[in-house]
Amino acid sequence: MRKTGFLFIVAALLLVACSETKYVPEQKYLLDRVKVRADSKARGINPTELRSFVRQRGNSRWFSAAKIPLHTYSLSGRDTTKWINRVLRSIGEPPQIYDTALTRQSMMALQLQMQNLGYLRATVDVYNKVKGRKVVCTYQLHPDKPFFLRRVDYDIQDDTIAALIGIEDVQRRGLKSGMMFSVDNLDGERKRIAQQLANLGYYRFNKDHITYRADSVAGTNLIDLTLVLHPYRNGEGKTSAHQIYTIGDIAYHSGNMEDSVIPLRRKVLESNTFMAKGDRYSARDLQNTYNHFGRLGAVRYTNITFHERQDEPVLDCDIQLSTNKPSTISFQPEGTNTSGDLGAAASLTYQNRNIFHGSENLSIELRGAYEAIRGLENYYDSNYMEYSLETKLTFPRFIAPFLSSNFRRRVNATSEVSLLYDLQNRPEFRRRVFTVAWKYRWNDVHRHDRYQIDMVDLNYISMPWVSETFRREYLDDTSSRNAILRYNYENLFIMKFGVGYSYNNTLWAIRASVETAGNVLDLASRAFRFSKNSEGQYTLMGVAYAQYVRGNFDFTRNITFNVNNQLVFHVGFGIAYPYGNSRILPFEKRYFAGGANSVRGWSVRSLGPGKFVGTDGRIDFINQTGDMKLDLNVEYRANLFWKFSGALFVDAGNIWTLRKYDEQPGGQFRLGEFWKQLAVSYGMGLRLNFGFFIVRFDMGMKAVNPAYENSYDHFPLVHPKLSRDFAFHFAVGLPF
């Protein structure tokens, strides 16, 4: 039996190997793999980065291993009139036939790029290893020694420009002695000078007015370089000094065919225009004008043109604005799945992008949801219904005093006020949430930083009705003593202030936020001697308020191997502490683990805290929450074919409580033990990328389960059980 299985595996491997060359013509070779290597003594040369200059590569591999697209193509028959053959070829990938012409072009491209990097004597060799009808092509890079600048001179043939850019000050120059003689350094200095002059009024200046003279020093790898800035040359070949231009008249025009009037206030137009009559022309001001008009929701398209006057160096400016339709109505249905309970939801949204003729955005959203809840007994109803009405008014600027006009114009900012009323009816209870918030968001247009301040975020949570069954079995049952459960079924005020920061440059991203609640109310309660309830909490109009501090930090690092393969690391940490008027965090502010964006071997809210094990599925969604969270994730992502991509991942993490709660045994964080309570899972995922959103399917398996102490159950990686250890997740968007 074992011999038969072994022979079957060998036969399958041979079949796969043969299928790769099925459509390779006679006397031709399949390009199996391409390698780029550099001499061992080469410094400053990264072969991985230079792979992009190779003109021909092998067939794509899933997860850098199996050439599934090529195998799919090879499964097709030669008769293309059959639909199955056409389908297999369309979703597959034809074999990459080795091309000597493309190899020569790749050698020249690699050599030229090394020379551009400063290795002027670089050469490239190619070694082909043929095995059967396949060839492995290796490009061996010989960069030799790099060249450096010995002396740098600037020949500026325009005295005004020489004074403006401070060329006599060596420290302000972009090229200096000792720098590598590379195209990037040379071109960077041309761009720097051209950009500087474009911001100082030189409308017609460009980097083509700058050239270089380079002389090599015999017997060395040193270069004497001279940067030459030429005078302006007109169409007849005559030279003159470069001209400084100023801004003349500025006119605004509507780009809408049906309406010649721009539906924006004059003050709004002027505040978003960074050019003014009499100012010098500036490319930076021009770009800022485009950026600020582009962020206005009322503006669809901006076109700015200049008209040079014949008798003087003055530019008249025409700003043409095409605007969006101010009002839209949208309807969005959706399906829901909460821990296996299926339901449906729909939202109706009205939006006005220009309600006060200043590109202010008013949105009103009405949402309804229905869900059938399973597993409930002795309740009058087993359905969940939710209705909410949310109104947001967003201003495309800071609405705040004491801010300088320069700061307001330098940043892209929004001010938002919102109102939300949410009505939830469950079989166990009825819940009402009323929220009022005032927030600021802004970012500097020249940086990757984003900031947020929640000035006021007031939430009033009301529990007007709790079923007798739920109250008798959980809230009034003295034997359960579940303080966390009771606290979350009482009326509550949450008044918080928060700040947030994020940074993203596509290689790595940081998100951090801190919020605190109840401090203003606590000062007022002590100053005005508010009354206390039976739990010793100060109350406002008979309702206790929450008091806590909460912080979150996320770090993501992307390592891109090539266009098809990427490795992503993620660390997420959150901690919150109730104090003063609160002993327990509100449910909305507590952390949970498991689910599509956490440790994916567990379903949502089914992990932790610590080594706690839930005993009652109807209330474990409350008990399996904590005051601190740690997530550690590694995910390998690979493009597969068409819009499909795949992922292999390993997740680790858990949640803990900072205080000891009797209803959460084993859930408290202890420095010497927390690492033993880290849950670990592994799995794979399939993603469907439509560009504007990503549909994600992740399948996770438990590897280390902190809920069990015996080795058999604690390490399901060694003793897997599908019914116990498998979790499936459906989500929209990437996990991090």
Side-chain angles (χ1 to χ4, degrees):
M1 187 70 181
R2 291 181 179 179
K3 183 178 180 180
T4 303
F6 175 76
L7 293 175
F8 175 78
I9 294 174
V10 172
L13 292 174
L14 290 174
L15 178 63
V16 169
C18 293
S19 68
E20 293 184 359
T21 58
K22 177 179 178 180
Y23 286 106
V24 176
E26 294 294 332
Q27 307 302 320
K28 298 290 184 179
Y29 295 95
L30 173 71
L31 183 58
D32 186 47
R33 192 182 293 269
V34 172
K35 301 177 182 179
V36 180
R37 296 175 177 173
D39 291 345
S40 58
K41 296 182 179 180
R43 296 183 179 180
I45 293 294
N46 188 338
T48 302
E49 294 180 354
L50 293 180
R51 281 182 60 89
S52 60
F53 293 91
V54 176
R55 303 298 175 85
Q56 187 184 27
R57 304 178 190 177
N59 288 94
S60 59
R61 298 170 183 260
W62 285 15
F63 303 106
S64 299
K67 292 185 278 190
I68 302 299
L70 173 59
H71 295 314
T72 304
Y73 186 94
S74 299
L75 286 174
S76 66
R78 300 184 183 277
D79 187 357
T80 57
T81 60
K82 295 182 178 181
W83 69 270
I84 185 61
N85 293 333
R86 294 197 302 271
V87 170
L88 290 172
R89 292 191 178 197
S90 64
I91 65 177
E93 185 179 273
Q96 287 286 339
I97 308 301
Y98 177 69
D99 190 326
T100 56
L102 291 177
T103 301
R104 287 193 296 270
Q105 293 177 18
S106 299
M107 293 175 62
M108 295 174 59
L110 288 168
Q111 182 178 5
L112 179 60
Q113 178 59 19
M114 286 192 291
Q115 292 172 349
N116 290 340
L117 292 174
Y119 300 85
L120 301 186
R121 299 192 182 102
T123 58
V124 180
D125 287 328
V126 174
Y127 302 98
N128 292 329
K129 183 178 181 181
V130 179
K131 186 175 182 180
R133 302 187 64 189
K134 300 180 184 179
V135 59
V136 176
C137 183
T138 301
Y139 294 87
Q140 188 68 37
L141 310 180
H142 310 290
D144 208 341
K145 294 181 180 180
F147 278 69
F148 296 91
L149 300 178
R150 186 183 73 164
R151 188 177 69 240
V152 180
D153 296 320
Y154 281 69
D155 180 11
I156 309 299
Q157 301 174 12
D158 188 309
D159 294 338
T160 303
I161 289 180
L164 282 175
I165 64 177
I167 212 63
E168 299 300 326
D169 186 357
V170 177
Q171 297 301 319
R172 295 173 61 180
R173 297 179 179 180
L175 295 174
K176 299 174 185 178
S177 176
M179 294 181 64
M180 187 174 287
F181 180 72
S182 68
V183 170
D184 286 344
N185 288 337
L186 302 186
D187 201 44
E189 179 66 350
R190 295 174 70 204
K191 291 179 180 178
R192 185 190 70 83
I193 294 175
Q195 185 177 18
Q196 184 178 357
L197 295 178
N199 293 329
L200 293 173
Y202 289 89
Y203 172 68
R204 291 191 172 277
F205 190 90
N206 59 68
K207 68 176 185 177
D208 292 336
H209 289 102
I210 301 174
T211 61
Y212 290 101
R213 294 195 302 266
D215 297 315
S216 60
V217 181
T220 70
N221 61 334
L222 300 177
I223 299 289
D224 290 336
L225 184 72
T226 301
L227 181 147
V228 182
L229 192 150
H230 301 276
Y232 177 75
R233 186 182 299 272
N234 61 18
E236 299 176 355
K238 297 181 179 180
T239 61
S240 62
H242 292 274
Q243 184 68 57
I244 296 177
Y245 286 80
T246 58
I247 300 298
D249 297 326
I250 300 177
Y252 301 93
H253 306 281
S254 172
N256 295 359
M257 298 294 294
E258 65 277 5
D259 191 357
S260 60
V261 178
I262 300 176
L264 292 168
R265 299 192 303 272
R266 180 75 183 188
K267 184 178 180 180
V268 174
L269 298 175
E270 293 175 349
S271 64
N272 286 281
T273 303
F274 284 71
M275 300 170 290
K277 186 174 183 178
D279 289 350
R280 284 185 177 183
Y281 165 81
S282 170
R284 182 189 300 112
D285 292 343
L286 173 62
Q287 188 59 51
N288 283 336
T289 302
Y290 270 115
N291 291 340
H292 277 67
F293 275 116
R295 71 186 180 89
L296 298 181
V299 177
R300 182 174 71 248
Y301 178 75
T302 305
N303 183 38
I304 302 175
T305 57
F306 294 99
H307 305 283
E308 184 178 349
R309 296 181 183 177
Q310 293 183 353
D311 54 346
E312 54 183 338
V314 177
L315 300 173
D316 292 324
C317 177
D318 287 334
I319 301 178
Q320 186 180 63
L321 301 174
S322 299
T323 55
N324 292 306
K325 292 182 178 180
S327 300
T328 59
I329 297 178
S330 60
F331 176 77
Q332 182 177 355
E334 59 183 286
T336 62
N337 185 344
T338 306
S339 300
D341 296 332
L342 301 179
S347 60
L348 182 66
T349 305
Y350 167 79
Q351 191 174 48
N352 189 315
R353 299 186 180 90
N354 196 29
I355 188 169
F356 301 130
H357 299 288
S359 196
E360 300 86 359
N361 191 342
L362 172 68
S363 66
I364 302 174
E365 179 182 300
L366 177 64
R367 186 177 185 275
Y370 172 86
E371 197 169 272
I373 302 177
R374 301 175 300 171
L376 290 179
E377 298 178 0
N378 302 322
Y379 287 92
Y380 173 75
D381 193 4
S382 61
N383 297 321
Y384 166 74
M385 290 184 292
E386 180 181 6
Y387 304 96
S388 66
L389 178 64
E390 183 177 22
T391 301
K392 288 183 181 180
L393 179 59
T394 303
F395 301 87
R397 56 191 177 276
F398 271 113
I399 306 296
F402 313 119
L403 294 176
S404 67
S405 58
N406 181 54
F407 177 76
R408 293 174 187 266
R409 290 168 63 87
R410 191 178 73 246
V411 301
N412 288 336
T414 59
S415 305
E416 178 188 293
V417 59
S418 61
L419 298 173
L420 169 67
Y421 181 72
D422 186 67
L423 180 151
Q424 303 172 13
N425 289 341
R426 286 184 60 92
E428 308 97 326
F429 60 84
R430 292 176 183 172
R431 192 167 184 261
R432 309 290 183 261
V433 180
F434 179 72
T435 301
V436 180
W438 178 263
K439 302 177 181 179
Y440 296 108
R441 295 183 179 89
W442 75 95
N443 67 283
D444 194 309
V445 295
H446 302 295
R447 298 182 179 179
H448 303 284
D449 309 84
R450 293 183 178 274
Y451 307 88
Q452 177 175 332
I453 294 181
D454 298 342
M455 290 297 297
V456 178
D457 194 332
L458 177 63
N459 298 265
Y460 172 57
I461 302 170
S462 172
M463 304 291 299
W465 177 83
V466 177
S467 73
E468 291 299 325
T469 302
F470 190 80
R471 185 182 299 277
R472 181 178 64 255
E473 294 182 357
Y474 295 105
L475 303 185
D476 295 340
D477 185 0
T478 57
S479 62
S480 68
R481 298 170 55 196
N482 198 322
I484 296 177
L485 192 65
R486 275 201 316 275
Y487 182 77
N488 286 280
Y489 287 90
E490 297 174 351
N491 297 345
L492 185 67
F493 272 119
I494 303 176
M495 183 177 180
K496 76 178 183 72
F497 168 83
V499 295
Y501 168 79
S502 65
Y503 178 91
N504 192 337
N505 65 357
T506 69
L507 295 179
W508 52 277
I510 291 176
R511 292 198 313 269
S513 64
V514 177
E515 67 179 65
T516 181
N519 296 327
V520 174
L521 293 176
D522 188 63
L523 290 174
S525 64
R526 297 178 186 276
F528 298 102
R529 298 183 178 180
F530 288 0
S531 60
K532 293 185 177 181
N533 60 17
S534 59
E535 300 290 332
Q537 297 173 295
Y538 286 106
T539 61
L540 176 64
M541 294 182 291
V543 179
Y545 58 85
Q547 193 171 6
Y548 64 87
V549 61
R550 188 175 191 261
N552 296 295
F553 176 82
D554 277 273
F555 173 80
T556 303
R557 175 71 167 93
N558 296 330
I559 300 177
T560 301
F561 301 113
N562 50 53
V563 293
N564 293 319
N565 296 278
Q566 184 182 45
L567 187 63
V568 185
F569 297 90
H570 171 257
V571 177
F573 177 74
I575 186 169
Y577 185 74
Y579 62 94
N581 211 49
S582 296
R583 193 177 70 88
I584 300 170
L585 282 172
F587 176 72
E588 291 81 1
K589 301 302 177 181
R590 295 175 69 84
Y591 297 102
F592 62 89
N597 300 319
S598 183
V599 187
R600 284 166 279 186
W602 280 258
S603 58
V604 64
R605 291 190 176 92
S606 64
L607 171 61
K611 56 182 179 180
F612 170 79
V613 181
T615 57
D616 190 335
R618 289 174 290 182
I619 62 170
D620 281 341
F621 73 97
I622 290 284
N623 286 334
Q624 296 200 260
T625 57
D627 308 320
M628 186 170 70
K629 179 177 182 177
L630 177 64
D631 273 330
L632 305 170
N633 312 89
V634 179
E635 184 168 283
Y636 182 79
R637 298 170 182 169
N639 292 331
L640 302 181
F641 62 92
W642 191 51
K643 299 182 182 296
F644 287 97
S645 60
L648 302 175
F649 58 81
V650 176
D651 303 324
N654 207 333
I655 55 173
W656 295 269
T657 63
L658 297 182
R659 293 178 175 177
K660 183 178 180 180
Y661 298 109
D662 294 335
E663 52 270 22
Q664 294 176 308
Q668 188 178 17
F669 177 82
R670 297 185 184 277
L671 188 61
E673 298 182 5
F674 84 95
W675 60 273
K676 301 177 184 177
Q677 299 169 358
L678 286 175
V680 181
S681 68
Y682 62 96
M684 62 185 301
L686 181 68
R687 288 83 193 272
L688 189 56
N689 190 344
F690 293 101
F692 51 92
F693 74 97
I694 297 174
V695 177
R696 174 163 55 97
F697 305 92
D698 283 343
M699 295 163 286
M701 285 287 292
K702 298 179 179 65
V704 179
N705 192 340
Y708 300 97
E709 295 186 356
N710 65 82
S711 60
Y712 185 88
D713 294 320
H714 187 76
F715 295 104
L717 176 65
V718 182
H719 309 285
K721 185 178 179 181
L722 194 65
S723 60
R724 178 195 62 185
D725 302 326
F726 176 78
F728 175 78
H729 305 282
F730 167 76
V732 176
L734 295 174
F736 41 82

